[in-house]
Amino acid sequence: MTTIGAQNTIDDPSDSGEQQRIRLGGVTREEVLTMVGAGAGSLALDWLLYERILPFSGAFGFLLCWYLLFLALYAIAGRLQWDALTVRERLATALAWSSGLLVLALIGDQIGYVAYRGVDAARHLNFFTETMRSTAALDPITSGGCLHAVVGSLEQLGMATLFSVPLGVLTAVFLVEAGQTRRGARLVKPVRVLVEAMTALPSIVAGLFVLGVVVLTLGVEKSGFAASLALTVMMMPIVTRAAEVVVRLVPGTLKEASYALGASQWRTVWHVVLPTARPGLTTAVVLGMARGVGETSPVLLTAGFTTRLNLDAFHGNQTSLPLFVWNYIKQPYPDMVARAFAAGLTLMAVVLILFVTARILGRHRTPTDRRTRRPLRRARADASNSLVQAAN
C-alpha cells in the first residue's frame, strides 16, 4: 500500500491489476473520529484537573486549558496513525479553523448582546424618526429617537470623506510615482514617516489638535464641520496606506505602454493607473469611512452635544451616533440605556453596509479589463469558427 496525505490510498499495481482514483482534499472518517475523540478526551481531562486535582477556577482558564489539551491529544492521536508531515498539516488546519470560529463567535456574541439590550428601543419606528429634544429621562421608550445623531454622523462622515479621499489618493500616488526617481525618493521618506505616525495617532490627539488650531485659534465654532476636520485627520492615513498598496499593484507594462505612446506621467496616472486601481481605491475609501464613523472623542471635543436636529453642519453643535451612545449608556435609567444600545446597533448596521459596499464595488472589473477581454473573446470566436470551417 502507498499512503498519500494520511487519507488517500492507492493499491500497488503489483497487488491488483487495476488502479484506483486518488481523491484529493476532503475529510475522512478517521480524521473526524480522531478530532472528536481528542475533543472529548481533552474535555474530560480538563474537568478532572479543574474540579479534582488542581485549585483552578474560572471559565476562561477552563476553556483555554481545554483548547491546549485538545491540540496536544489531537497531535498524539494523529501521530499514531499518520506521518509527521501530515500531523503538522492537520494541526495547522485545526488552528486555522478554530481561530476563525473563535473570531466569528466573538463577533456574534457582541452583535447578539447589543441587539438583545437594544431591541426594546429599535423595534419602535419612532427611534429612527424622532429626536431627543422633547424626551425626558423617565419618558417611555416610545418617545424620542436618534434621528439627529444619524443625520450628524452622515454629514460629518460625508465632509470628512470629501476632504480625506483626494488627499489620501494623491499622497499614495506621490509615494509610488515619486519614489521611482532619485530626487523624489528623498521627499518620499519623510512623507511616509508622517503617514505612518498619523496611522498610530490616538483619536483624542486629533480632536485636541483641531480644537486648539481650528476652534480656539482660528475662531471656528464647534460644529459638524470642525468634527469632520478631526475625522479627516483620522481617515487620511488609512486611505493613503490602502491606496498605496493598490497603486503599487498596477502592472508596470501598462505604464510603460502609455509612456511609449508619448503620454506624460500625469496623463498616465490619470488615464491608466487610477482607472486600473479603481476597485481597490474604492475599498480603501470605504475602509477609511468605517474608521471615521466610529470615532467618539474627536466629535465630542469639536462638535459638542445636542438633542436637537441640526442640518447646518457649519453652525451649532451636532451629535453623532458614537456620541449618542457615549452620552446615554452611562445614565441610570433603563430606557436611556436601551436607546444607547439601539444606537450602537444602528452604528453596526452602518459599518456593515460600508464593508459590504466595499466588497461589491471591489469585485467590479475595471474599464481596462473590459477593453482587453472583449477583443480576446472576439479573437477566440473567430479562431474557433476558422477551425470549424477548416474541418468541414
Side-chain angles (χ1 to χ4, degrees), residues 21-147:
R21 183 184 299 274
I22 300 176
R23 184 173 62 87
L24 299 177
V27 180
T28 62
R29 184 179 62 179
E30 291 78 7
E31 183 181 353
V32 174
L33 293 177
T34 303
M35 184 174 295
V36 173
S42 60
L43 178 61
L45 181 58
D46 189 25
W47 178 85
L48 181 63
L49 293 175
Y50 259 74
E51 298 296 333
R52 294 291 183 259
I53 300 178
L54 300 177
F56 292 158
S57 62
F60 177 76
F62 182 86
L63 295 176
L64 180 60
C65 291
W66 181 22
Y67 182 69
L68 297 177
L69 289 173
F70 163 73
L71 294 178
L73 291 181
Y74 186 60
I76 295 173
R79 192 65 184 91
L80 296 176
Q81 53 184 327
W82 304 323
D83 57 275
L85 180 61
T86 304
V87 171
R88 289 196 295 268
E89 178 188 356
R90 295 291 182 264
L91 280 178
T93 304
L95 283 171
W97 276 96
S98 59
S99 301
L101 292 176
L102 177 61
V103 172
L104 290 178
L106 292 176
I107 294 175
D109 177 72
Q110 296 296 321
I111 296 176
Y113 180 76
V114 174
Y116 173 75
R117 296 292 302 273
V119 67
D120 292 337
R123 65 182 179 180
H124 299 288
L125 185 61
N126 63 279
F127 182 75
F128 304 99
T129 59
E130 298 180 4
T131 65
M132 299 293 293
R133 179 178 181 181
S134 58
T135 302
L138 298 178
D139 286 347
I141 201 68
T142 55
S143 174
C146 66
L147 177 63

Side-chain angles (χ1 to χ4, degrees), residues 81-328:
Q81 53 184 327
W82 304 323
D83 57 275
L85 180 61
T86 304
V87 171
R88 289 196 295 268
E89 178 188 356
R90 295 291 182 264
L91 280 178
T93 304
L95 283 171
W97 276 96
S98 59
S99 301
L101 292 176
L102 177 61
V103 172
L104 290 178
L106 292 176
I107 294 175
D109 177 72
Q110 296 296 321
I111 296 176
Y113 180 76
V114 174
Y116 173 75
R117 296 292 302 273
V119 67
D120 292 337
R123 65 182 179 180
H124 299 288
L125 185 61
N126 63 279
F127 182 75
F128 304 99
T129 59
E130 298 180 4
T131 65
M132 299 293 293
R133 179 178 181 181
S134 58
T135 302
L138 298 178
D139 286 347
I141 201 68
T142 55
S143 174
C146 66
L147 177 63
H148 60 300
V150 173
V151 173
S153 292
L154 293 179
E155 288 188 355
Q156 295 167 17
L157 184 62
M159 289 190 295
T161 304
L162 183 63
F163 299 151
S164 62
V165 169
L167 292 175
V169 174
L170 288 177
T171 305
V173 172
F174 171 78
L175 293 176
V176 175
E177 297 295 330
Q180 299 177 359
T181 61
R182 179 175 299 179
R183 174 181 293 182
R186 300 176 181 175
L187 300 176
V188 165
K189 187 175 181 179
V191 174
R192 189 183 304 279
V193 172
L194 180 61
V195 171
E196 293 178 354
M198 292 180 62
T199 304
L201 183 71
S203 58
I204 186 68
V205 177
L208 290 173
F209 171 77
V210 175
L211 176 65
V213 175
V214 178
V215 178
L216 299 180
T217 303
L218 300 181
V220 178
E221 62 177 317
K222 290 186 176 181
S223 59
F225 172 72
S228 67
L229 295 180
L231 295 180
T232 300
V233 177
M234 302 302 302
M235 293 171 55
M236 190 182 69
I238 304 297
V239 176
T240 301
R241 295 292 297 272
E244 181 186 1
V245 174
V246 174
V247 172
R248 287 186 182 277
L249 295 178
V250 176
T253 54
L254 294 177
K255 296 187 288 186
E256 292 173 0
S258 177
Y259 294 145
L261 293 175
S264 61
Q265 186 178 17
W266 164 251
R267 294 182 65 88
T268 299
V269 170
W270 182 256
H271 294 284
V272 176
V273 175
L274 294 182
T276 304
R278 185 171 59 185
L281 294 177
T282 303
T283 304
V285 171
V286 177
L287 290 177
M289 294 173 63
R291 168 66 188 276
V293 74
E295 295 295 341
T296 304
S297 52
V299 180
L300 177 63
L301 293 174
T302 55
F305 182 81
T306 182
T307 58
R308 301 182 179 183
L309 177 63
N310 182 14
L311 298 177
D312 188 2
F314 294 92
H315 300 90
N317 295 341
Q318 194 176 55
T319 306
S320 63
L321 279 173
L323 193 57
F324 184 96
V325 175
W326 177 84
N327 186 73
Y328 292 112

